[in-house]
Coordinates of all heavy atoms in Angstrom, one line a residue:
G267 N 0.8 -1.2 0.0 CA 0.0 0.0 0.0 C 0.8 1.3 0.0 O 0.4 2.3 -0.5
M268 N 2.0 1.2 0.6 CA 2.9 2.5 0.6 C 3.7 2.7 -0.6 O 4.4 3.7 -0.7 CB 3.8 2.4 1.9 CG 3.0 2.7 3.1 SD 4.2 3.1 4.5 CE 4.6 1.4 4.9
G269 N 3.7 1.8 -1.6 CA 4.5 2.0 -2.8 C 5.9 1.9 -2.4 O 6.4 1.1 -1.6
N270 N 6.7 2.8 -3.0 CA 8.1 2.9 -2.6 C 8.3 3.5 -1.2 O 7.7 4.5 -0.9 CB 8.9 3.9 -3.6 CG 8.8 3.4 -5.0 OD1 8.8 2.2 -5.3 ND2 8.7 4.3 -6.0
Y271 N 9.1 2.8 -0.4 CA 9.2 3.2 1.0 C 10.6 2.9 1.5 O 11.3 2.1 1.0 CB 8.2 2.7 1.9 CG 8.3 1.2 2.2 CD1 9.0 0.7 3.3 CD2 7.8 0.2 1.4 CE1 9.2 -0.6 3.6 CE2 7.9 -1.1 1.6 CZ 8.6 -1.5 2.7 OH 8.8 -2.9 3.0
V272 N 11.0 3.7 2.5 CA 12.3 3.4 3.2 C 12.0 3.2 4.7 O 11.1 3.9 5.3 CB 13.2 4.7 3.1 CG1 14.4 4.5 4.0 CG2 13.6 4.9 1.6
E273 N 12.6 2.2 5.3 CA 12.4 1.9 6.7 C 13.8 2.0 7.3 O 14.8 1.4 6.9 CB 11.9 0.4 6.8 CG 11.7 0.0 8.2 CD 11.1 -1.4 8.3 OE1 10.1 -1.7 7.7 OE2 11.8 -2.3 8.9
L274 N 13.8 2.9 8.4 CA 15.1 3.2 9.1 C 15.0 2.5 10.5 O 14.0 2.7 11.2 CB 15.3 4.7 9.2 CG 15.4 5.5 7.9 CD1 15.7 6.9 8.2 CD2 16.5 4.9 7.0
I275 N 16.0 1.9 10.9 CA 16.1 1.2 12.2 C 17.0 2.1 13.1 O 18.1 2.4 12.7 CB 16.6 -0.2 12.1 CG1 15.7 -1.0 11.2 CG2 16.8 -0.8 13.5 CD1 16.3 -2.4 10.8
H276 N 16.4 2.5 14.2 CA 17.1 3.4 15.1 C 17.5 2.7 16.4 O 16.9 1.6 16.7 CB 16.2 4.6 15.5 CG 15.7 5.4 14.3 ND1 16.4 6.4 13.7 CD2 14.6 5.2 13.5 CE1 15.7 6.8 12.7 NE2 14.6 6.1 12.6
R277 N 18.3 3.3 17.2 CA 18.6 2.7 18.5 C 17.4 2.7 19.4 O 16.5 3.5 19.2 CB 19.7 3.6 19.2 CG 21.0 3.5 18.5 CD 22.1 4.3 19.3 NE 23.4 4.2 18.6 CZ 24.0 5.3 18.2 NH1 23.6 6.5 18.4 NH2 25.2 5.1 17.6
G278 N 17.4 1.8 20.4 CA 16.3 1.7 21.4 C 15.1 1.1 20.9 O 14.0 1.3 21.5
G279 N 15.1 0.4 19.8 CA 13.9 -0.3 19.3 C 13.0 0.5 18.5 O 11.9 0.1 18.2
Y280 N 13.4 1.7 18.0 CA 12.6 2.5 17.2 C 12.8 2.3 15.7 O 13.9 2.0 15.3 CB 12.8 4.0 17.5 CG 12.4 4.5 18.8 CD1 13.2 4.5 19.9 CD2 11.0 5.0 18.9 CE1 12.7 4.9 21.1 CE2 10.6 5.4 20.2 CZ 11.4 5.4 21.3 OH 11.0 5.8 22.5
V281 N 11.7 2.4 14.9 CA 11.7 2.3 13.5 C 10.9 3.4 12.9 O 9.8 3.7 13.4 CB 11.2 0.9 13.0 CG1 11.1 0.8 11.5 CG2 12.0 -0.2 13.6
T282 N 11.4 4.0 11.8 CA 10.6 5.0 11.1 C 10.5 4.5 9.7 O 11.4 4.0 9.1 CB 11.3 6.4 11.1 OG1 12.6 6.3 10.7 CG2 11.2 7.1 12.5
I283 N 9.3 4.8 9.1 CA 8.9 4.3 7.8 C 8.4 5.5 7.0 O 7.6 6.3 7.5 CB 7.9 3.2 7.8 CG1 8.3 2.0 8.7 CG2 7.5 2.8 6.4 CD1 7.3 1.0 9.0
Y284 N 9.0 5.7 5.8 CA 8.6 6.9 5.0 C 8.1 6.3 3.7 O 8.8 5.6 2.9 CB 9.9 7.7 4.7 CG 10.6 8.1 6.0 CD1 11.5 7.3 6.6 CD2 10.3 9.4 6.5 CE1 12.1 7.7 7.8 CE2 10.9 9.8 7.7 CZ 11.8 8.9 8.3 OH 12.4 9.3 9.5
G285 N 6.8 6.5 3.4 CA 6.2 5.9 2.3 C 5.7 6.8 1.2 O 5.6 8.0 1.3
H286 N 5.3 6.2 0.0 CA 4.7 6.8 -1.2 C 5.8 7.7 -1.9 O 5.5 8.6 -2.6 CB 3.5 7.7 -0.9 CG 2.4 7.0 -0.2 ND1 1.8 5.9 -0.8 CD2 1.7 7.3 0.9 CE1 0.9 5.5 0.0 NE2 0.8 6.3 1.0
L287 N 7.1 7.3 -1.7 CA 8.2 8.0 -2.3 C 8.2 7.9 -3.8 O 8.0 6.8 -4.4 CB 9.5 7.6 -1.7 CG 9.7 7.7 -0.2 CD1 11.0 7.0 0.3 CD2 9.5 9.1 0.3
S288 N 8.5 9.0 -4.5 CA 8.7 8.9 -6.0 C 10.1 8.4 -6.4 O 10.3 7.9 -7.4 CB 8.5 10.3 -6.6 OG 9.4 11.2 -6.2
K289 N 11.1 8.6 -5.4 CA 12.4 8.2 -5.7 C 13.1 7.8 -4.3 O 12.8 8.5 -3.3 CB 13.2 9.3 -6.3 CG 14.6 9.0 -6.7 CD 15.4 10.2 -7.3 CE 16.8 9.8 -7.5 NZ 17.6 11.0 -7.9
I290 N 13.9 6.8 -4.3 CA 14.6 6.3 -3.1 C 16.1 6.6 -3.4 O 16.6 6.2 -4.4 CB 14.4 4.9 -2.8 CG1 12.9 4.7 -2.4 CG2 15.3 4.4 -1.7 CD1 12.5 3.2 -2.2
D291 N 16.7 7.4 -2.5 CA 18.1 7.8 -2.7 C 19.1 7.0 -1.8 O 20.3 7.4 -1.7 CB 18.3 9.3 -2.4 CG 17.6 10.1 -3.4 OD1 17.6 9.8 -4.6 OD2 17.0 11.1 -3.0
V292 N 18.7 5.9 -1.1 CA 19.5 5.1 -0.3 C 19.4 3.7 -0.7 O 18.4 3.3 -1.4 CB 19.2 5.3 1.2 CG1 19.6 6.7 1.7 CG2 17.8 5.0 1.5
R293 N 20.3 2.8 -0.3 CA 20.2 1.4 -0.6 C 20.0 0.6 0.7 O 20.3 1.1 1.7 CB 21.4 0.9 -1.4 CG 22.7 1.0 -0.7 CD 23.9 0.7 -1.6 NE 25.1 0.6 -0.9 CZ 25.8 1.6 -0.3 NH1 25.2 2.8 -0.3 NH2 26.9 1.5 0.3
E294 N 19.6 -0.6 0.5 CA 19.3 -1.5 1.6 C 20.6 -1.7 2.5 O 21.7 -1.8 2.0 CB 18.9 -2.9 1.1 CG 18.4 -3.8 2.2 CD 17.7 -5.0 1.7 OE1 17.6 -5.2 0.5 OE2 17.4 -5.9 2.6
N295 N 20.4 -1.6 3.8 CA 21.5 -1.7 4.8 C 22.5 -0.6 4.8 O 23.5 -0.7 5.5 CB 22.2 -3.1 4.7 CG 21.3 -4.2 4.9 OD1 20.5 -4.2 5.9 ND2 21.4 -5.3 4.1
Q296 N 22.2 0.5 4.1 CA 23.1 1.7 4.1 C 22.9 2.4 5.5 O 21.8 2.6 5.9 CB 22.8 2.6 3.0 CG 23.6 3.9 2.9 CD 23.2 4.8 1.8 OE1 22.6 4.3 0.8 NE2 23.6 6.0 1.9
S297 N 24.0 2.9 6.1 CA 23.9 3.8 7.2 C 23.6 5.2 6.7 O 24.1 5.6 5.7 CB 25.2 3.8 8.0 OG 25.4 2.5 8.6
V298 N 22.7 5.8 7.4 CA 22.3 7.2 7.1 C 22.5 8.1 8.3 O 22.5 7.6 9.5 CB 20.9 7.3 6.5 CG1 20.7 6.6 5.2 CG2 19.9 6.9 7.6
H299 N 22.6 9.4 8.1 CA 22.8 10.3 9.2 C 21.6 11.4 9.2 O 21.0 11.6 8.1 CB 24.1 11.0 9.0 CG 25.3 10.1 9.0 ND1 25.8 9.5 10.1 CD2 26.0 9.6 8.0 CE1 26.8 8.7 9.8 NE2 26.9 8.7 8.5
Q300 N 21.4 12.0 10.3 CA 20.4 13.0 10.5 C 20.6 14.1 9.4 O 21.7 14.6 9.2 CB 20.4 13.6 11.8 CG 19.3 14.6 12.1 CD 19.3 15.1 13.5 OE1 20.0 14.5 14.4 NE2 18.5 16.1 13.8
G301 N 19.5 14.5 8.7 CA 19.6 15.5 7.7 C 19.9 15.0 6.3 O 19.8 15.7 5.3
Q302 N 20.3 13.7 6.2 CA 20.6 13.1 4.9 C 19.4 12.9 4.1 O 18.4 12.4 4.7 CB 21.4 11.8 5.1 CG 21.8 11.1 3.8 CD 22.6 9.9 4.1 OE1 23.1 9.7 5.1 NE2 22.7 9.0 3.1
K303 N 19.4 13.2 2.8 CA 18.2 12.9 2.0 C 18.1 11.4 1.7 O 19.1 10.7 1.3 CB 18.4 13.6 0.6 CG 17.2 13.4 -0.3 CD 17.5 14.2 -1.6 CE 16.5 13.9 -2.6 NZ 16.7 14.6 -3.9
I304 N 16.9 10.8 2.0 CA 16.7 9.4 1.8 C 15.8 9.1 0.6 O 15.7 8.0 0.1 CB 16.2 8.7 3.0 CG1 14.9 9.3 3.5 CG2 17.2 8.8 4.1 CD1 14.2 8.5 4.6
G305 N 15.0 10.1 0.1 CA 14.1 9.9 -1.0 C 13.4 11.2 -1.3 O 13.6 12.3 -0.7
E306 N 12.4 11.1 -2.2 CA 11.6 12.2 -2.7 C 10.1 11.9 -2.5 O 9.7 10.8 -2.8 CB 11.9 12.6 -4.1 CG 13.4 13.0 -4.3 CD 13.7 13.4 -5.8 OE1 12.8 13.6 -6.6 OE2 14.9 13.6 -6.0
V307 N 9.4 12.9 -2.1 CA 7.9 12.8 -1.9 C 7.3 12.4 -3.2 O 7.7 12.8 -4.3 CB 7.4 14.1 -1.4 CG1 5.8 14.1 -1.4 CG2 7.9 14.5 0.0
G308 N 6.2 11.5 -3.1 CA 5.6 11.1 -4.3 C 4.1 10.6 -4.0 O 3.5 11.1 -3.0
K309 N 3.6 9.8 -4.9 CA 2.3 9.3 -4.7 C 2.2 7.8 -5.3 O 1.4 7.5 -6.1 CB 1.2 10.2 -5.3 CG 1.5 10.7 -6.7 CD 0.4 11.6 -7.2 CE -0.7 10.9 -7.9 NZ -1.7 11.8 -8.4
T310 N 3.1 7.0 -4.8 CA 3.2 5.6 -5.2 C 2.3 4.7 -4.4 O 1.8 5.1 -3.3 CB 4.6 5.1 -5.2 OG1 5.1 5.2 -3.9 CG2 5.5 5.9 -6.2
G311 N 2.1 3.5 -4.8 CA 1.3 2.6 -4.0 C -0.2 2.9 -4.1 O -0.7 3.4 -5.2
N312 N -0.9 2.8 -3.0 CA -2.4 3.1 -3.1 C -2.7 4.5 -3.1 O -3.8 4.9 -3.0 CB -3.1 2.3 -1.9 CG -2.7 2.8 -0.6 OD1 -2.0 3.7 -0.4 ND2 -3.1 2.0 0.4
A313 N -1.7 5.4 -3.1 CA -1.9 6.9 -3.2 C -1.8 7.3 -4.7 O -1.8 8.5 -5.0 CB -0.8 7.6 -2.4
N314 N -1.7 6.4 -5.6 CA -1.5 6.7 -7.0 C -2.8 6.9 -7.8 O -3.1 6.2 -8.7 CB -0.7 5.6 -7.7 CG -0.1 6.1 -9.0 OD1 -0.1 7.3 -9.4 ND2 0.3 5.1 -9.8
Y315 N -3.7 7.9 -7.3 CA -4.9 8.2 -7.9 C -4.9 9.6 -8.3 O -4.2 10.5 -7.7 CB -6.1 7.9 -6.9 CG -6.2 6.4 -6.6 CD1 -5.8 5.9 -5.4 CD2 -6.8 5.6 -7.5 CE1 -5.9 4.6 -5.1 CE2 -7.0 4.2 -7.2 CZ -6.5 3.7 -6.0 OH -6.6 2.4 -5.7
R316 N -5.7 10.0 -9.3 CA -5.8 11.3 -9.8 C -6.0 12.4 -8.7 O -5.3 13.4 -8.8 CB -6.8 11.4 -10.9 CG -6.9 12.8 -11.5 CD -8.0 12.9 -12.6 NE -7.9 11.8 -13.5 CZ -8.7 11.6 -14.5 NH1 -9.7 12.4 -14.7 NH2 -8.5 10.6 -15.3
G317 N -6.9 12.2 -7.8 CA -7.2 13.3 -6.9 C -6.3 13.4 -5.7 O -6.4 14.3 -4.8
I318 N -5.3 12.5 -5.6 CA -4.4 12.5 -4.4 C -3.1 13.3 -4.8 O -2.5 13.0 -5.9 CB -4.0 11.1 -4.0 CG1 -5.3 10.4 -3.5 CG2 -3.0 11.1 -2.9 CD1 -5.1 9.0 -3.1
I319 N -2.7 14.2 -4.0 CA -1.5 15.0 -4.3 C -0.3 14.2 -3.7 O -0.4 13.5 -2.7 CB -1.6 16.4 -3.7 CG1 -1.8 16.4 -2.2 CG2 -2.7 17.2 -4.4 CD1 -1.7 17.8 -1.6
P320 N 0.9 14.5 -4.2 CA 2.1 13.8 -3.6 C 2.2 14.2 -2.2 O 1.9 15.3 -1.8 CB 3.2 14.4 -4.5 CG 2.6 14.8 -5.8 CD 1.2 15.3 -5.4
H321 N 2.6 13.2 -1.4 CA 2.7 13.5 0.1 C 3.7 12.4 0.7 O 4.1 11.5 0.0 CB 1.4 13.4 0.8 CG 0.7 12.0 0.7 ND1 0.1 11.6 -0.5 CD2 0.7 11.0 1.6 CE1 -0.4 10.4 -0.2 NE2 0.0 10.0 1.0
L322 N 4.0 12.6 1.9 CA 4.8 11.6 2.7 C 4.0 10.9 3.7 O 3.3 11.5 4.5 CB 6.0 12.3 3.4 CG 6.9 11.5 4.2 CD1 7.7 10.5 3.3 CD2 7.8 12.3 5.1
H323 N 4.1 9.6 3.7 CA 3.5 8.8 4.7 C 4.6 8.5 5.7 O 5.6 7.9 5.4 CB 2.9 7.4 4.1 CG 2.4 6.5 5.1 ND1 1.0 6.3 5.3 CD2 3.0 5.7 6.1 CE1 0.8 5.4 6.3 NE2 2.0 5.0 6.7
L324 N 4.4 8.9 7.0 CA 5.4 8.7 8.0 C 4.8 7.8 9.1 O 3.7 8.1 9.7 CB 5.8 10.0 8.6 CG 6.6 10.0 9.9 CD1 8.0 9.3 9.7 CD2 6.8 11.4 10.4
E325 N 5.5 6.8 9.5 CA 5.2 6.0 10.7 C 6.3 5.9 11.6 O 7.5 5.9 11.2 CB 4.9 4.5 10.2 CG 3.6 4.3 9.5 CD 3.3 2.9 9.3 OE1 3.8 2.0 10.0 OE2 2.5 2.6 8.3
V326 N 6.0 5.9 12.9 CA 7.0 5.7 13.9 C 6.6 4.5 14.7 O 5.4 4.5 15.2 CB 7.2 6.9 14.9 CG1 8.2 6.7 15.9 CG2 7.6 8.2 14.1
R327 N 7.5 3.6 14.9 CA 7.1 2.4 15.7 C 8.2 2.1 16.8 O 9.4 2.5 16.6 CB 7.0 1.2 14.8 CG 5.9 1.3 13.8 CD 5.7 0.0 13.0 NE 4.5 0.1 12.2 CZ 3.3 -0.3 12.6 NH1 3.2 -0.8 13.7 NH2 2.3 -0.1 11.8
H328 N 7.8 1.6 17.9 CA 8.7 1.2 19.0 C 8.4 -0.2 19.4 O 7.2 -0.5 19.8 CB 8.6 2.2 20.2 CG 9.6 1.8 21.2 ND1 9.3 1.1 22.4 CD2 10.9 2.1 21.3 CE1 10.4 1.0 23.1 NE2 11.4 1.6 22.5
S329 N 9.3 -1.1 19.2 CA 9.1 -2.5 19.5 C 7.9 -3.0 18.8 O 7.1 -3.8 19.4 CB 9.0 -2.7 21.0 OG 10.2 -2.3 21.7
G330 N 7.6 -2.6 17.6 CA 6.5 -3.0 16.8 C 5.2 -2.3 17.0 O 4.3 -2.4 16.2
A331 N 5.1 -1.5 18.0 CA 3.9 -0.7 18.3 C 3.9 0.6 17.6 O 4.9 1.3 17.7 CB 3.7 -0.6 19.8
A332 N 2.8 1.0 16.9 CA 2.7 2.3 16.3 C 2.6 3.4 17.3 O 1.9 3.3 18.3 CB 1.5 2.3 15.3
L333 N 3.3 4.5 17.0 CA 3.3 5.7 17.9 C 2.8 6.9 17.1 O 3.0 6.9 15.8 CB 4.7 5.9 18.5 CG 5.3 4.8 19.3 CD1 6.7 5.2 19.7 CD2 4.5 4.6 20.5
D334 N 2.4 7.9 17.7 CA 2.0 9.1 17.0 C 3.2 9.9 16.6 O 4.0 10.4 17.5 CB 1.1 10.0 18.0 CG 0.7 11.3 17.4 OD1 1.0 11.6 16.2 OD2 -0.1 12.0 18.1
P335 N 3.4 10.1 15.3 CA 4.7 10.8 14.8 C 4.7 12.2 15.3 O 5.8 12.8 15.5 CB 4.5 10.7 13.3 CG 3.5 9.8 13.0 CD 2.6 9.6 14.2
M336 N 3.6 12.8 15.6 CA 3.6 14.2 16.1 C 4.4 14.4 17.4 O 4.9 15.4 17.7 CB 2.2 14.8 16.3 CG 1.5 14.9 14.9 SD 2.3 15.9 13.7 CE 2.1 17.5 14.5
Q337 N 4.5 13.3 18.2 CA 5.3 13.3 19.4 C 6.8 13.6 19.2 O 7.5 14.0 20.1 CB 5.2 12.0 20.2 CG 3.8 11.7 20.6 CD 3.8 10.3 21.3 OE1 4.8 9.8 21.9 NE2 2.7 9.6 21.2
F338 N 7.2 13.3 17.9 CA 8.6 13.4 17.6 C 9.0 14.5 16.7 O 10.2 14.7 16.4 CB 9.1 12.1 16.9 CG 8.8 10.9 17.8 CD1 7.6 10.2 17.7 CD2 9.8 10.4 18.7 CE1 7.4 9.1 18.5 CE2 9.5 9.3 19.5 CZ 8.3 8.7 19.4
L339 N 8.0 15.3 16.3 CA 8.3 16.5 15.4 C 8.3 17.8 16.2 O 7.5 17.9 17.1 CB 7.2 16.5 14.3 CG 7.1 15.3 13.5 CD1 6.0 15.4 12.5 CD2 8.4 15.0 12.7
E340 N 9.2 18.7 15.8 CA 9.2 20.0 16.5 C 8.5 21.0 15.6 O 8.5 21.0 14.4 CB 10.7 20.4 16.7 CG 11.4 19.5 17.6 CD 12.8 20.0 17.8 OE1 13.3 20.9 17.2 OE2 13.5 19.3 18.6

């Protein structure tokens, strides 16, 4: 459903998932750093309909449980 996506594994059991990307700029098992570009916003997967504008699907998980991403954004 998310089309092109990147899943990042963080310390402490956290995982972030970025979906509907039009382009992925990293490869599997690559280490990334804060501020590094990992992809470009798009509308792939189930967001690929005429009325849907390009956007980013963001998920934050801890030990498999979904968390509210707004808790992590400034």
Side-chain angles (χ1 to χ4, degrees):
M268 282 194 281
N270 299 326
Y271 71 94
V272 171
E273 182 175 302
L274 300 181
I275 300 169
H276 306 271
R277 292 185 181 122
Y280 289 92
V281 173
T282 52
I283 303 167
Y284 306 85
H286 302 306
L287 302 175
S288 65
K289 181 181 176 190
I290 295 175
D291 292 322
V292 293
R293 64 187 187 291
E294 190 171 353
N295 296 318
Q296 176 182 343
S297 293
V298 297
H299 302 282
Q300 184 175 348
Q302 181 177 342
K303 181 179 172 185
I304 60 171
E306 296 181 13
V307 171
K309 49 183 269 179
T310 60
N312 62 12
N314 195 15
Y315 295 101
R316 182 181 307 178
I318 297 178
I319 61 172
H321 65 281
L322 176 68
H323 177 104
L324 170 62
E325 288 186 23
V326 178
R327 297 185 171 269
H328 184 259
S329 299
L333 303 173
D334 180 359
M336 293 303 290
Q337 298 176 31
F338 301 90
L339 302 175
E340 294 180 359

